[in-house]
Amino acid sequence: MEPWEFGRTVRRWRDRVAPEAVGVPVGRRRRASGLRREELAALAGISADYLTRLEQGRATTPSAQVVESLSRALRLPDGERDLLYRLAGHSAPGPDVVPSRIAPSVHRLLDRLSHTPVVVHDAGWTLVLANAPYDALMGETTAWRGLERNAVWRNVARLPTRVVHTPREQAEHEARLVADLRVTASRYPADRNLRRLIAELSAGSPRFAELWDAQAPPPLAEPSRHKTIDHPAVGPITLDCDTLVVALDDLRITVYTAEPGTEDAERLALAVVLGTQSMAR
């Protein structure tokens, strides 16, 4: 196949995607029936300049991660996703690779939570998707790259966060994440990217290495279903935090909610409004 076929295919599929079907607001004066280039780039987490070069055939070797991100943003069915991988010169991920695909049915579920903070991680705790309310609550994730997108790393490296933990809660949270990553590694022993992630975590964090090498990790208390977020504009918000596992796709969907009618619910609504307005400017 010609190398420019990848970009031409992405352009053709971009033109057929209705913006409202992927959560992109549509103005009255809109002329394009499909997604604009900058809209698809934002959904996929890549630069508009790089997408332009891909579509024009000036960039012809996108990584598997870029292909997956574009497939997810375009909401491609399995057959078209596999074709896009082949056009990029990759094999579609098999069952021995940690999946990061969000099935159309799961996308529809997430669409129904479009006003609720939601974040999706794969089985290795690498960020797959964060919706606008989540970014408004927790801070923007769009600029995160590499290890920054991994929740295990963000915790063991103690990167800045709005979540308030006591030292004990933080230590237990880190231990739970590492224990879950250990289970994932046992399920996907052939995944080279996962092995590389674990090697990078071990080399970069003594705390991770300590937890990973522990022969008999101590039993941990059940995690709290409540989290307090110290939001810079509205102050502390205590929310229910529930992580749902999509068994077939091995994804972790974390949802943040507040009981209606409470002060926390009012603060959450205000944080989402302020944050999404700021990101839209």
Side-chain angles (χ1 to χ4, degrees), residues 55-266:
E55 290 189 348
Q56 294 177 349
R58 293 185 288 121
T60 57
T61 55
S63 68
Q65 290 81 3
V66 168
V67 176
E68 186 62 47
S69 296
L70 286 169
S71 299
R72 187 163 52 245
L74 291 165
R75 307 282 181 98
L76 297 182
D78 289 346
E80 291 181 349
R81 171 182 176 253
D82 292 351
L83 172 60
L84 202 62
Y85 269 92
R86 292 199 300 273
L87 290 174
H90 302 292
S91 298
D96 56 346
V97 173
V98 173
S100 60
R101 172 161 171 69
I102 299 179
S105 58
V106 178
H107 260 301
R108 289 193 293 272
L109 170 65
L110 298 176
D111 288 342
R112 285 161 175 76
L113 297 171
S114 60
H115 300 292
T116 302
V118 176
V119 63
V120 183
H121 292 91
D122 66 17
W125 288 100
T126 293
L127 179 68
V128 176
L129 179 149
N131 68 3
Y134 178 87
D135 280 1
L137 176 67
M138 296 292 195
E140 284 199 59
T141 62
T142 52
W144 293 357
R145 297 290 182 269
L147 275 180
E148 284 184 315
R149 297 180 64 80
N150 185 264
V152 182
W153 171 254
R154 296 193 68 82
N155 277 274
V156 297
R158 305 289 173 91
L159 297 187
T161 178
R162 294 179 182 175
V163 177
V164 178
H165 278 148
T166 67
R168 178 178 177 179
E169 289 169 342
Q170 179 64 31
E172 290 183 344
H173 182 54
E174 293 165 3
R176 273 190 296 270
L177 285 172
V178 173
D180 191 63
L181 184 61
R182 189 192 300 277
V183 173
T184 297
S186 69
R187 279 205 306 273
Y188 302 96
D191 189 322
R192 289 179 294 178
N193 288 332
L194 181 59
R195 293 203 304 269
R196 186 181 306 116
L197 169 65
I198 293 167
E200 290 176 348
L201 290 170
S202 298
S205 169
R207 170 64 173 159
F208 176 85
E210 172 195 349
L211 292 169
W212 188 261
D213 293 337
Q215 293 298 316
L220 299 173
E222 287 298 315
S224 171
R225 295 183 64 168
H226 304 287
K227 278 191 180 179
T228 298
I229 291 86
D230 188 9
H231 191 276
V234 303
I237 318 170
T238 299
L239 301 173
D240 291 323
C241 173
D242 295 285
T243 298
L244 317 174
V245 177
V246 182
L248 291 178
D249 301 308
D250 215 356
L251 297 172
R252 288 97 171 95
I253 301 176
T254 305
V255 184
Y256 295 82
T257 59
E259 184 177 352
T262 62
E263 183 178 357
D264 288 312
E266 294 175 359

Side-chain angles (χ1 to χ4, degrees), residues 19-39:
E20 58 271 20
V22 293
V24 174
V26 180
R28 293 181 178 179
R29 298 184 179 181
R30 186 183 185 91
R31 295 180 180 178
S33 58
L35 285 175
R36 296 189 177 107
R37 187 173 285 146
E38 61 270 19
E39 291 169 343

